[in-house]
């Protein structure tokens, strides 16, 4: 075994130990299908948590098309690729966005972008473990699809938030992700968000269809975190490169996100109170 591999194993052991005795807080936002609203949701969810006095780190882990920087209208030279290339440490690539909210940006479209291997992703999680005590929640925005790396990321997270929409294609892709997670014996808590709904009824029906299939074929219970309306204010906030919660805090979608951020805080606090140590 080479030196790097044995160091990784050692680091992994430390990370496992740390994870067992510190509060669960790593949240991956995923979907299967692209365009369901992962990035929109992850950014607004993170921001709302930070506004409720939680310390949050939001990381753009979409390794294909990272665009959190565009959504937030930020320019930075500090990106995750320098961490992956091991030229900068994780602490060095963290930017502060606002009170209680730190960010790590990705960067797509670079020809020198290092190919992320399983080992590099594992190293990323080990290093995340080392800074996790600074935060109440660490939110990872993911790539679409369910390739090996996305799946590995989801399996290593404490919570998986699956963002889908009422469209049958999005529901099918959410089902595929859930199937892969269950087949791989994922220990992460799973919650579904149905985004871009014409009304509550449409969202509920979509969730019932998905959970019935999961229940029937995969023998698992599925939990709904919330339904987000299709809201032109959400679309406009993205065009304006602003968070919806700043652009139009009175909008329907902003209020829906606020309600289930509060619910999520309660769920995670209850879960952490039941942990040993
Ligand atoms: N609740 C919503 N209401 C209206 N449009 C939305 C909503 N959520 C997302 N969108 C639209 O969907 C597009 C894709 O969202 P994005 O977060 O980039 O998806 P993903 O990260 O899953 O690929 C956005 O550009 C936005 O226009
Ligand atoms: Mg995205």
């Amino acid at each position: 075994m080479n030196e790097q591999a044995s160091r990784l194993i050692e680091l992994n052991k430390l990370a496992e130990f740390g994870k067992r005795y510190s509060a669960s807080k790593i949240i991956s936002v995923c979907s299967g299908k692209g365009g369901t609203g992962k990035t929109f949701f992850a950014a607004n969810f993170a921001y709302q948590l930070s506004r409720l006095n939680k310390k949050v780190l939001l990381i753009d882990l979409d390794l294909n098309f990272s665009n959190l920087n565009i959504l937030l209208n930020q320019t930075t030279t500090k990106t995750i690729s320098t961490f992956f290339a091991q030229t900068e440490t994780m602490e060095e690539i963290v930017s502060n966005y606002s009170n209680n909210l730190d960010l790590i940006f990705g960067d797509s479209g670079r020809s020198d972008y290092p190919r992320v291997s399983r080992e590099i992703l594992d190293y990323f999680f080990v290093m995340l473990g080392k800074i996790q005590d600074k935060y109440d929640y660490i939110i990872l925005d993911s790539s679409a699809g369910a390739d090996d790396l996305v799946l590995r990321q989801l399996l290593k997270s404490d919570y998986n938030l699956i963002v889908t929409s009422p469209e049958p294609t999005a529901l099918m892709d959410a089902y595929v992700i859930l199937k892969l997670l269950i087949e791989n014996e994922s220990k992460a808590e799973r919650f579904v968000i149905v985004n871009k709904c014409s009304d509550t009824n449409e969202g509920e029906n979509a969730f019932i269809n998905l959970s019935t299939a999961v229940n029937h074929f995969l023998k698992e219970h599925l939990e709904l975190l919330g339904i987000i309306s299709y809201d032109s204010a959400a679309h406009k906030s993205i065009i304006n490169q602003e968070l919806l919660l700043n652009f139009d805090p009175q909008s329907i979608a902003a209020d829906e996100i606020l309600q289930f951020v509060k619910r999520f805080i309660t769920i995670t606090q209850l879960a952490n109170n039941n942990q040993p140590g």
Side-chain angles (χ1 to χ4, degrees):
M1 191 186 301
N2 68 30
E3 201 184 313
Q4 197 190 5
S6 55
R7 211 178 101 235
L8 261 175
I9 289 171
E10 196 49 43
L11 284 169
N12 260 321
K13 274 192 203 148
L14 268 175
E16 273 306 313
F17 181 80
K19 206 170 152 186
R20 228 177 301 148
Y21 293 103
S22 70
S24 301
K25 60 182 69 165
I26 300 180
I27 302 157
S28 275
V29 178
C30 63
S31 69
K33 191 178 188 306
T36 58
K38 287 180 294 302
T39 305
F40 162 76
F41 170 76
N44 281 285
F45 187 71
Y47 185 59
Q48 188 58 267
L49 280 168
S50 75
R51 296 253 300 242
L52 294 174
N53 273 329
K54 301 294 176 192
K55 285 271 321 162
V56 183
L57 173 62
L58 171 62
I59 304 179
D60 190 342
L61 208 58
D62 186 338
L63 303 174
N64 298 321
F65 295 102
S66 52
N67 46 29
L68 190 63
N69 54 329
I70 303 169
L71 192 78
L72 299 176
N73 198 16
Q74 301 279 302
T75 44
T76 178
T77 52
K78 295 202 284 184
T79 66
I80 205 163
S81 64
T82 53
F83 170 80
F84 287 143
Q86 300 195 7
T87 53
E88 278 184 295
T89 65
M90 192 170 270
E91 281 91 344
E92 283 168 338
I93 56 165
V94 173
S95 314
N96 178 253
Y97 178 73
S98 57
N99 190 26
N100 288 333
L101 180 57
D102 285 349
L103 303 172
I104 295 180
F105 291 107
D107 47 354
S108 43
R110 281 181 55 164
S111 54
D112 58 344
Y113 198 106
R115 210 187 71 79
V116 178
S117 62
R118 282 169 161 220
E119 288 69 27
I120 292 181
L121 188 71
D122 290 354
Y123 176 69
F124 167 83
F125 271 91
V126 170
M127 290 303 152
L128 208 51
K130 292 195 168 220
I131 61 166
Q132 75 170 11
D133 283 347
K134 289 190 197 166
Y135 298 100
D136 295 307
Y137 297 102
I138 296 173
I139 300 175
L140 311 177
D141 185 20
S142 325
S143 310
D147 66 19
D148 188 47
L149 283 181
V150 172
L151 190 61
R152 204 169 177 85
Q153 176 205 327
L154 298 182
L155 292 169
K156 283 178 172 286
S157 305
D158 302 304
Y159 294 90
N160 294 162
L161 304 188
I162 299 136
V163 181
T164 185
S165 83
E167 294 174 4
T169 44
L171 290 171
M172 186 61 209
D173 292 357
Y175 177 82
V176 171
I177 288 263
L178 287 159
K179 185 169 183 285
L180 286 168
L181 289 170
I182 292 165
E183 281 173 0
N184 282 278
E185 296 174 8
S186 162
K187 304 272 185 298
E189 295 276 340
R190 291 181 281 271
F191 292 96
V192 172
I193 291 119
V194 190
N195 187 24
K196 304 195 198 184
C197 300
S198 318
D199 52 44
T200 315
N201 217 5
E202 188 182 63
E204 279 171 1
N205 283 336
F207 177 73
I208 289 169
N209 286 339
L210 181 61
S211 66
T212 305
V214 169
N215 211 286
H216 184 78
F217 296 109
L218 308 174
K219 314 282 175 232
E220 284 271 339
H221 171 74
L222 201 57
E223 211 43 65
L224 177 70
L225 185 65
I227 289 166
I228 308 178
S229 302
Y230 184 93
D231 190 339
S232 61
H235 170 75
K236 284 183 198 149
S237 73
I238 295 171
I239 300 277
N240 280 280
Q241 293 176 276
E242 264 190 72
L243 287 161
L244 177 63
L245 304 169
N246 283 335
F247 178 76
D248 191 350
Q250 309 300 328
S251 61
I252 294 171
D255 185 56
E256 288 162 339
I257 294 173
L258 170 63
Q259 295 315 319
F260 56 84
V261 163
K262 286 182 179 164
R263 197 170 154 238
F264 188 74
I265 291 174
T266 311
I267 292 167
T268 49
Q269 280 172 348
L270 279 175
N272 287 330
N273 287 345
N274 290 332
Q275 276 199 355

